[in-house]
Amino acid sequence: MNRNLEILISDLRVIAQLRRVAAVLNWDQETYMPPKGAEARADQISLIMSMSHARFTGPEFRRSLAELVDLPSGKVLDGGLPPHQVRMLETTWWDWRRANALPVEFVGELVRLTSEAQNVWEQARHTSDFNLLAPYLEKIISMKREEADYLGYEDQPYDALLENYEPGMTTRELTALFESLRTPLVNLVERIRDTDTPDHREILAGDYDESDQWKFGMDVLYDMGYDLTRGRQDRSAHPFTTDFHPSDVRITTYLDRHDITQGIFSTIHEGGHALYQQALNDQYFGTPLCEPISLGIHESQSRLWENYVGHSRPFWTCYYPRLQERFTDQLGKVTLDEFYSAINMVTPSLIRVEADEVTYNLHIMLRFELEQAFINDHAAVNDLPALWNEGMEKYLGITPENDADGILQDIHWSMGGIGYFPTYILGNLYGRQFYEAANNQIDDLEDRIARGDLKTLREWLRENIHQVGRARTADELVQDVTGSPLSAEPFIDYLQAKYGELYTI
Ligand code: ZN
């Protein structure tokens, strides 16, 4: 290998290792750390992160990169490199340019502001008092606009923020995509509401032993192909996936004694994320070739497993008898059809994280519109609660009674995570396109799922999606794997077919 490339890759590995050290500290903080460790832990994590940032933006790294890439333009200098190395360098430069675009003092100030704002958000939500958060949100929004200016954009400031999570995506493209999704979704929700179907989720009510819930989840993870010699599951208040290397990818789940669906679906969801991380090509560890493409593509893997497999009839044909066996008292008299329809109830609700797979997307569209309003169009922060409530009425036909169940429900904005929400819809859309490609290419995929053979699907995902890393962009990957560009159509068709049958509409 080219000597300069070797030096660059070894630099990248050091930076990646530092970030993973911080990830271990963070994982511990969310799972086992005693409460009084919080302050010292925050110092430890921020020390490691500033070391990795300093290394990535420092003069040494700049010199290594300049040997291989024309720094002003990002053009790779050696025309003879194989395509995957060219892509690796282009992507490294892209990350490097963005990391360098933000002045160190600016980053420090934003970190301080958002960590304070998160505490204030918790209090504001608790007391349902938007006025507490408003001045912080105002500062965060103004700093995020500044961030967009530092990062640069062609069309509108929001584009620069979107790219923090979904490289290559633009506001214009998203707007068109969401436009094609909105009317069919709103209509579907209305048609479902008109059937006046009573809420039959209560047939699942009961007291479910947590250790039995845990064992059921572990069985499903095992069948999915989650490798427990290279990962583990723990419990945490908010489920997440974290990776230290493809050889150590951890997930957490949340169990609720009185709601069995929480644990099952959070386990399958995080399992989908974990399969992606475990299957990245560790030969390239430290470089973009061993990194997930984007948050939208990551979310496509969790949603594919959680919704297109985990909420499907074939899946429960195999797993429902197993679940009933563990919970005879609670589910012994509930039929498969009743269970399937209970886990797929569509009900407009106020809280995004509790929403079903149909209404969920409308919650996201509302956030996407508000983010554009305050980033691009300078909407006043004090007008946001009213805009929120109008949007809920327009899309879901319900209005929150207070801001805790409205604009204050998500932590994202107080963390500075503006431009993040759209990746949830992208995950649903990419995921549906990938699932259908798998279904076309694998013989009898759904029969296999109904027999508990989940590994054939896992293997297909590994080969076609996971191993690719950032050697392809999200656009390219979708085109490669499905033969079509990103589109809302397969997702709409899927919802209409599935819920048409469930609600006989
Ligand atoms: Zn997720």
Side-chain angles (χ1 to χ4, degrees):
M1 200 198 286
N2 174 326
R3 178 80 192 117
N4 288 322
L5 195 57
E6 262 173 43
I7 295 172
L8 186 83
I9 290 175
S10 81
D11 276 352
L12 282 172
R13 289 221 164 108
V14 172
I15 293 158
Q17 296 290 24
L18 285 168
R19 287 181 186 153
R20 298 323 198 280
V21 169
V24 179
L25 293 173
N26 199 61
W27 170 83
D28 173 71
Q29 173 179 319
E30 301 295 325
T31 49
Y32 295 105
M33 188 187 76
K36 289 197 173 161
E39 222 177 296
R41 180 55 50 86
D43 290 344
Q44 291 154 358
I45 293 175
S46 108
L47 172 67
I48 303 279
M49 287 311 283
S50 65
M51 282 164 73
S52 92
H53 183 76
R55 188 125 186 173
F56 192 41
T57 55
E60 246 174 85
F61 190 86
R62 185 192 182 90
R63 265 199 303 278
S64 312
L65 190 61
E67 296 288 339
L68 295 152
V69 180
D70 174 51
L71 294 185
S73 70
K75 199 175 166 347
V76 174
L77 299 171
D78 181 350
L81 289 175
H84 73 283
Q85 286 181 355
V86 171
R87 184 52 69 88
M88 194 260 279
L89 287 172
E90 288 169 348
T91 315
T92 300
W93 175 82
W94 193 88
D95 294 344
W96 175 84
R97 189 190 63 80
R98 288 176 72 88
N100 271 282
L102 306 176
V104 180
E105 315 77 62
F106 176 85
V107 175
E109 200 187 325
L110 190 60
V111 169
R112 269 191 302 280
L113 173 63
T114 51
S115 75
E116 214 182 316
Q118 285 170 62
N119 291 330
V120 175
W121 165 76
E122 233 162 275
Q123 214 184 322
R125 190 178 61 155
H126 192 68
T127 53
S128 193
D129 185 357
F130 182 75
N131 290 333
L132 278 181
L133 186 67
Y136 289 86
L137 197 52
E138 197 136 359
K139 268 186 233 155
I140 290 171
I141 290 168
S142 116
M143 286 194 79
K144 292 304 267 190
R145 278 202 214 104
E146 220 180 314
E147 181 180 318
D149 288 338
Y150 284 128
L151 292 170
Y153 53 86
E154 270 173 31
D155 191 18
Q156 34 195 315
Y158 189 69
D159 288 344
L161 303 180
L162 261 183
E163 284 208 296
N164 284 334
Y165 311 104
E166 200 65 19
M169 185 51 73
T170 64
T171 315
R172 207 179 279 265
E173 190 183 345
L174 271 185
T175 304
L177 199 63
F178 290 2
E179 210 63 59
S180 67
L181 194 54
R182 180 176 298 112
T183 310
L185 277 181
V186 172
N187 288 344
L188 183 60
V189 173
E190 265 171 24
R191 276 157 60 215
I192 290 173
R193 195 174 16 209
D194 288 347
T195 65
D196 277 326
T197 310
D199 190 335
H200 43 272
R201 279 173 300 192
E202 64 200 36
I203 58 168
L204 304 182
D207 189 2
Y208 294 85
D209 181 72
E210 288 181 358
S211 78
D212 281 327
Q213 289 194 47
W214 177 268
K215 285 182 203 145
F216 179 81
M218 290 304 281
D219 286 347
V220 174
L221 285 174
Y222 177 82
D223 290 350
M224 285 167 69
Y226 177 56
D227 181 351
L228 284 158
T229 64
R230 299 189 298 135
R232 56 176 287 132
Q233 180 175 251
D234 290 271
R235 294 176 68 165
S236 71
H238 305 282
F240 65 95
T241 302
T242 185
D243 71 294
F244 313 141
H245 186 268
S247 62
D248 190 351
V249 179
R250 304 193 184 186
I251 60 177
T252 66
T253 192
Y254 174 79
L255 302 178
D256 182 338
R257 277 196 84 94
H258 302 287
D259 180 0
I260 190 168
T261 60
Q262 290 261 2
I264 293 174
F265 295 118
S266 87
T267 296
I268 298 176
H269 181 99
E270 300 308 327
H273 281 304
L275 292 183
Y276 189 4
Q277 294 288 154
Q278 282 192 333
L280 287 166
N281 193 337
D282 62 2
Q283 171 193 351
Y284 300 120
F285 178 74
T287 79
L289 301 179
C290 181
E291 284 170 5
I293 293 180
S294 68
L295 280 192
I297 297 293
H298 224 310
E299 198 65 11
S300 79
Q301 299 307 294
S302 54
R303 296 293 167 121
L304 184 150
W305 284 102
E306 179 191 354
N307 289 340
Y308 310 141
V309 178
H311 278 79
S312 76
R313 207 187 285 273
F315 179 84
W316 289 106
T317 303
C318 174
Y319 288 93
Y320 189 57
R322 299 192 194 177
L323 189 68
Q324 274 181 313
E325 224 169 274
R326 287 196 189 274
F327 299 105
T328 318
D329 291 348
Q330 299 86 340
L331 297 173
K333 292 199 175 66
V334 178
T335 67
L336 170 61
D337 275 345
E338 287 168 334
F339 178 80
Y340 175 69
S341 108
I343 60 169
N344 285 297
M345 260 319 279
V346 175
T347 337
S349 63
L350 296 173
I351 307 294
R352 174 185 62 87
V353 295
E354 292 166 7
D356 54 79
E357 67 176 333
V358 180
T359 56
Y360 189 90
N361 303 282
L362 295 166
H363 288 265
I364 300 301
M365 284 184 199
L366 166 63
R367 288 154 176 79
F368 173 65
E369 282 168 18
L370 290 186
E371 288 185 342
Q372 287 178 78
F374 62 64
I375 292 292
N376 292 338
D377 306 333
H378 296 252
V381 166
N382 287 329
D383 293 340
L384 294 178
L387 289 172
W388 180 286
N389 294 352
E390 273 169 36
M392 285 298 289
E393 190 56 48
K394 187 170 68 173
Y395 290 147
L396 290 160
I398 46 178
T399 306
E401 274 173 25
N402 55 59
D403 289 336
D405 290 337
I407 193 163
L408 289 172
Q409 66 183 270
D410 298 306
I411 195 173
H412 299 55
W413 291 342
S414 56
M415 288 170 72
I418 294 166
Y420 189 117
F421 283 119
T423 66
Y424 294 125
I425 290 190
L426 288 172
N428 291 335
L429 304 187
Y430 289 135
R432 190 61 212 172
Q433 286 181 280
F434 292 148
Y435 181 82
E436 290 188 1
N439 199 15
N440 287 331
Q441 290 167 33
I442 299 170
D443 276 341
D444 309 326
L445 174 65
E446 297 191 339
D447 291 342
R448 287 172 189 274
I449 293 173
R451 294 196 301 269
D453 166 11
L454 307 179
K455 290 204 180 71
T456 305
L457 176 59
R458 201 274 321 234
E459 193 49 29
W460 185 91
L461 294 168
R462 193 182 67 80
E463 261 171 45
N464 290 283
I465 295 168
H466 303 165
Q467 290 247 300
V468 174
R470 289 166 79 193
R472 307 293 279 161
T473 64
D475 270 0
E476 291 166 343
L477 183 78
V478 178
Q479 188 69 45
D480 291 351
V481 173
T482 70
S484 316
L486 170 63
S487 155
E489 230 179 88
F491 179 67
I492 296 167
D493 292 347
Y494 152 76
L495 291 181
Q496 283 174 342
K498 176 174 175 178
Y499 292 93
E501 187 216 310
L502 269 164
Y503 284 91
T504 41
I505 44 174

